[in-house]
């Protein structure tokens, strides 16, 4: 029962409940026998709209929606229920989407880690909710669990998830929430990745060409990821069919040494150019501040070469991944199939710290500033004989974090292929992680699911790490769609354009000329009215994503319908609407869509907002609960800056909108102050960047100045739009208006 209402009926007699002081509780269970894997019936769940976040593939989560336990997928890592205060919840009545929010509350059912066991949820055909707990090591067994699943409740779903993660953080002590982590500098800068530009064919010449063409367009990447394709690798297979499979061959290949392969060597001024000289050169020539090098958790996809002289000290041994029933119930990734036959050359826990330290020390000596580490969830398949999946993940991740901190600036680590709770609830230091399947520019069905999948995944993952939305192509037919989403995602912005193939009109909407970005304060997440509706396949719902800046809110709205069907599968049939069938979706937006807006509005806020639409330029003044109707065609989007209207001197209404030519315009506004004296009322705004600054004002100011120098201003009396041009040199400036 939650709030004296029945949530689960026919609860099994072996289920235990352990209350916590914070109001939450842990669910556990006992079995008659010990095992390394158990499945327990909790109880019957019916009559609630729910959102499930489940792993559709070893590496990634996507959402699922339903109203009974039979629709809860295997390997669910978060379950959020919607309930209401009035009347019994056992009636089976589904709450309408437009129900008064004051009568609704939410229940979070969160499978967690219980000692060396990892828990997930699943449903049966008769609507019984189950939890599955497994160690991943046949020798690690138990018959009793006391803290396998957390249950908590609140009237605000975002507060509920945040508070629950904080409770877990404090109680378990195995991970840290994102608020308690130091962020690497790259998250606030524009970057470029080599992956979709070159794939495995990446070389130093191509990188220089890409950096040059981006720089010539006025947008120097401040950080670079040298992705897969730079290492020295080999394979030991004698299978001719595998040798002929060019794409699959790399997944059974192993790292030979720490050095870059011959593609990154050349000659200059009569002497060889090594990785160190290359990194130094591109930093000096193209203004790159941070170079990240890619590798996997095991060095390369199939580990390190046991026969290599340089790698012998790590005593790698060939072991074989073992997938759990949960892994096998969904999409099985080809990278796993490749190594199931050939095995991985695995460095055991006692030596993995030495491996990471040696590897990263070498990279740092070459001018590399950080690493992107892929394939991390593979560890959960290798736990047999090593204490299980949780213990092995924690050992490797701890060693990785420690090595990165020891050898690079800060925690300069981008984790990837790691969206399991084994990883999330073991992440003490790492602050940035990929949260989605790849962008994949050649897969048309992935584009809309990419946006929606990231937003929903961030409900959970965004409380523990800063989300990495992956790179995108600035000249792709969906480039604006992706750029707008990343602008409000609270994430780093980076592209993977081929050299010379850029759309700078897109880039300038998310990147300032100095290479910085206007990153929102937290992870972009679905609005409350999107939590239990499928914005990809239901044919009627818009995808709305909210975020906060320092004194404004931002709301992105996307038509993600008709782009594909869950889950994202490469080569899936694509059936977009025709030109004669634009597939227009209608919906509404409101200032209330932006959660916690009052926290950035200030104590004196009366509730009105200025809402600026990026694509149309329309400014609307509306009360907090006001609604604005809108329609979007296929792959259409709109970004609204939601700025609380402040009243000064009891008569001047003012709301800063920021750099109105940027998707997240309000991200440019750092602080706003006012003063009143005999000369009048002065409003001062600290603004970062350059270009057109906009604000709403109910009357025209007497004067405007930038850093004390008087400037011309524009004012539209019909909509209250106030504009002033900021100088092109990017800087933090004080813009003042006097009334």
């Amino acid at each position: 029962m939650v709030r004296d209402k029945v949530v689960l009926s026919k609860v099994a007699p072996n289920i235990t409940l352990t209350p916590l002081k914070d109001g939450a509780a842990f669910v556990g269970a006992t079995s008659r026998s010990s095992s390394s894997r158990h499945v327990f019936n909790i109880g019957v769940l019916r009559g609630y709209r729910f959102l499930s976040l489940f792993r559709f593939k070893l590496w990634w989560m996507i959402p699922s929606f339903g109203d009974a336990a039979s629709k809860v997928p295997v390997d669910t890592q978060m379950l959020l229920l919607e309930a209401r205060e009035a009347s019994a919840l056992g009636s089976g009545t589904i709450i309408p989407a437009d129900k008064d929010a004051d009568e609704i509350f939410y229940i979070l059912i969160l499978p967690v880690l219980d000692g060396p066991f990892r828990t997930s949820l699943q449903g049966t055909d008769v609507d019984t909710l189950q939890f599955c707990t497994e160690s991943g090591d046949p020798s690690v067994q138990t018959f009793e669990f006391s803290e396998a699943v957390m249950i908590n409740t609140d009237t605000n779903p975002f507060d509920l998830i945040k508070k629950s993660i904080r409770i877990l953080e404090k109680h378990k002590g195995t991970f840290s929430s994102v608020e308690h982590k130091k962020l690497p500098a790259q998250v606030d800068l524009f970057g470029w990745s080599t992956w979709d530009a070159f794939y495995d064919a990446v070389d130093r010449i191509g990188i220089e060409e890409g950096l040059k063409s981006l720089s010539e367009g006025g947008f120097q990447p401040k950080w670079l990821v040298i992705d897969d394709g730079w290492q020295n690798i080999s394979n030991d297979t004698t299978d001719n069919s595998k040798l002929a499979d060019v794409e699959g061959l790399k997944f059974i290949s192993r790292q030979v040494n720490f050095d870059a392969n011959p593609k990154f060597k050349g000659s200059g001024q009569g002497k060889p150019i090594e990785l160190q000289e290359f990194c130094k050169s591109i930093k000096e020539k193209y203004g790159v501040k941070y170079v990240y090098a890619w590798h996997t958790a095991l060095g390369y996809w199939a580990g390190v070469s046991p026969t290599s002289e340089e790698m012998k000290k790590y005593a790698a041994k060939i072991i074989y991944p073992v997938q759990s029933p949960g892994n096998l119930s969904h999409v099985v990734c080809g990278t796993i199939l490749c190594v199931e036959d050939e095995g991985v050359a695995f460095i055991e826990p006692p030596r993995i710290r030495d491996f990471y330290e040696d590897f990263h020390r070498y990279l740092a000596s070459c001018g590399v500033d950080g690493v992107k580490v892929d394939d991390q969830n593979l560890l959960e398949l290798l736990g047999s004989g090593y204490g299980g999946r949780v213990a092995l993940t924690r050992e490797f991740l701890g060693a990785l974090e420690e090595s990165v901190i020891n050898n690079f600036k800060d925690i300069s680590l981008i984790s990837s292929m790691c969206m399991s709770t084994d990883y999330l609830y073991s992440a003490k230091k790492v602050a940035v992680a990929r949260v989605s399947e790849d962008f994949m520019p050649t897969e048309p069905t992935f584009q809309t699911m990419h946006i929606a999948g990231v937003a929903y995944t961030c409900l959970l993952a965004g409380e523990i790490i800063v989300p990495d939305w992956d790179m995108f192509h600035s000249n792709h037919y969906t480039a604006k769609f992706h750029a707008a989403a990343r602008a409000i995602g609270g994430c780093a912005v980076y592209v993977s354009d081929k050299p010379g193939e850029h759309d700078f009109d897109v880039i300038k909407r998310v990147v300032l000329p100095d290479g910085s970005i206007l990153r929102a304060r937290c992870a972009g997440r679905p609005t409350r009215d999107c939590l239990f509706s499928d914005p990809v396949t239901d044919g009627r719902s818009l995808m709305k994503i909210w975020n906060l800046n320092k004194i404004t809110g931002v709301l992105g709205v996307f038509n993600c319908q008709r782009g594909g069907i869950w889950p994202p599968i490469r080569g899936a049939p694509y059936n977009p609407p025709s030109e004669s069938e634009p597939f227009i979706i209608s919906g509404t937006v409101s200032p209330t869509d932006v959660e916690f807006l009052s926290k950035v509005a200030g104590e004196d806020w009366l509730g009105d907002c200025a809402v600026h639409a990026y694509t149309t330029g329309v400014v609307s003044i509306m009360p907090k609960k006001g609604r604005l109707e809108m329609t979007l065609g296929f792959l259409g989007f709109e970004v609204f800056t939601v700025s609380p209207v402040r009243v000064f001197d009891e008569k001047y209404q003012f709301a800063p909108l920021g750099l109105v030519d940027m998707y997240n315009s309000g991200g440019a506004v750092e602080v706003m102050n006012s003063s009143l004296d005999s000369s009048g009322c002065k409003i001062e705004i600290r603004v970062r960047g350059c270009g057109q600054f906009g604000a709403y004002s109910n009357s025209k100011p007497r004067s405007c100045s930038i850093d004390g120098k008087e400037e011309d201003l524009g004012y539209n009396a019909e909509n209250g739009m106030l504009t002033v041009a900021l100088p092109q040199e990017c800087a933090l400036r004080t813009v003042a208006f006097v009334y």
Side-chain angles (χ1 to χ4, degrees), residues 86-103:
S87 75
L89 295 178
S91 64
T93 303
I94 304 301
I95 301 170
D98 59 353
K99 186 69 178 175
D100 189 341
D102 292 338
E103 297 182 19

Side-chain angles (χ1 to χ4, degrees), residues 646-649 651-652 654 671-685 701-710 734-739:
R646 283 79 160 184
V647 179
F648 300 99
D649 196 19
K651 54 182 176 291
Y652 301 118
F654 188 90
V671 68
M672 181 171 67
N673 295 303
S674 68
S675 59
L676 183 65
D677 57 29
S678 58
S679 63
C681 177
K682 178 188 284 189
I683 300 171
E684 291 186 332
I685 309 102
R702 287 193 289 114
S703 65
C704 167
S705 65
I706 300 175
D707 289 337
K709 181 182 177 182
E710 191 161 330
T734 299
V735 180
F737 299 99
V738 177
Y739 292 84

Side-chain angles (χ1 to χ4, degrees), residues 14 29-35 37-40 142-145:
N14 62 330
T30 57
S31 173
R32 293 180 178 178
S33 60
S34 285
S35 176
R37 184 177 187 271
H38 295 270
V39 177
F40 295 103
T142 191
F143 65 91
E144 185 176 27
F145 300 89

Side-chain angles (χ1 to χ4, degrees), residues 190 212-221 504 507 511-515:
F190 174 52
K212 181 181 179 183
S213 62
L214 283 164
S215 297
E216 288 175 346
F219 291 93
Q220 288 185 335
F504 293 108
I507 294 175
V511 182
L512 293 170
D514 65 355

Side-chain angles (χ1 to χ4, degrees), residues 78-251:
M78 188 190 91
L79 189 65
L80 182 68
L81 311 180
E82 182 186 54
R84 65 182 170 194
E85 298 280 5
S87 75
L89 295 178
S91 64
T93 303
I94 304 301
I95 301 170
D98 59 353
K99 186 69 178 175
D100 189 341
D102 292 338
E103 297 182 19
I104 297 174
F105 68 96
Y106 302 86
I107 302 162
L108 181 67
I109 304 178
L110 200 62
V112 295
L113 307 182
D114 195 349
F117 285 77
R118 179 256 186 182
T119 308
S120 61
L121 301 175
Q122 58 194 40
T124 72
D125 291 340
V126 293
D127 291 333
T128 298
L129 185 66
Q130 299 177 324
F131 75 81
C132 171
T133 185
E134 53 192 342
S135 71
D137 185 340
S139 66
V140 178
Q141 301 186 1
T142 191
F143 65 91
E144 185 176 27
F145 300 89
S146 60
E147 298 182 354
V149 178
M150 171 187 269
I151 298 183
N152 202 0
T153 183
D154 201 287
T155 55
N156 183 304
F158 306 100
D159 258 343
L160 170 59
I161 298 171
K162 181 183 288 290
K163 290 175 182 177
S164 298
I165 292 298
R166 300 305 173 271
I167 293 170
L168 274 179
E169 176 188 21
K170 182 178 179 180
H171 183 81
K172 297 283 189 178
T174 61
F175 71 98
S176 299
S177 62
V178 69
E179 291 177 349
H180 298 145
K181 292 177 177 178
K182 186 176 182 180
L183 306 186
Q186 54 89 205
V187 297
D188 291 306
L189 299 171
F190 174 52
W192 180 52
S193 168
T194 64
W195 180 240
D196 285 319
F198 308 107
Y199 299 113
D200 300 319
V202 61
D203 60 20
R204 63 179 183 83
I205 296 174
I207 292 176
E208 287 217 48
E209 289 175 347
L211 292 172
K212 181 181 179 183
S213 62
L214 283 164
S215 297
E216 288 175 346
F219 291 93
Q220 288 185 335
K222 297 303 176 183
W223 58 282
L224 164 73
V225 178
I226 304 177
D227 215 295
D228 190 2
W230 71 271
Q231 290 161 288
N232 279 303
I233 58 174
S234 67
N235 66 80
D236 301 320
T237 186
T238 57
D239 187 327
N240 288 330
S241 63
K242 292 178 180 176
L243 289 169
D245 180 5
V246 176
E247 183 176 358
L249 187 60
K250 78 170 184 177
F251 295 119

Side-chain angles (χ1 to χ4, degrees), residues 295-313:
H295 65 81
T296 74
L298 302 181
Y300 201 66
W301 295 106
V304 300
S305 173
T307 59
S308 164
E309 286 298 324
E310 291 88 339
M311 295 297 179
K312 279 185 178 179
K313 64 178 288 190

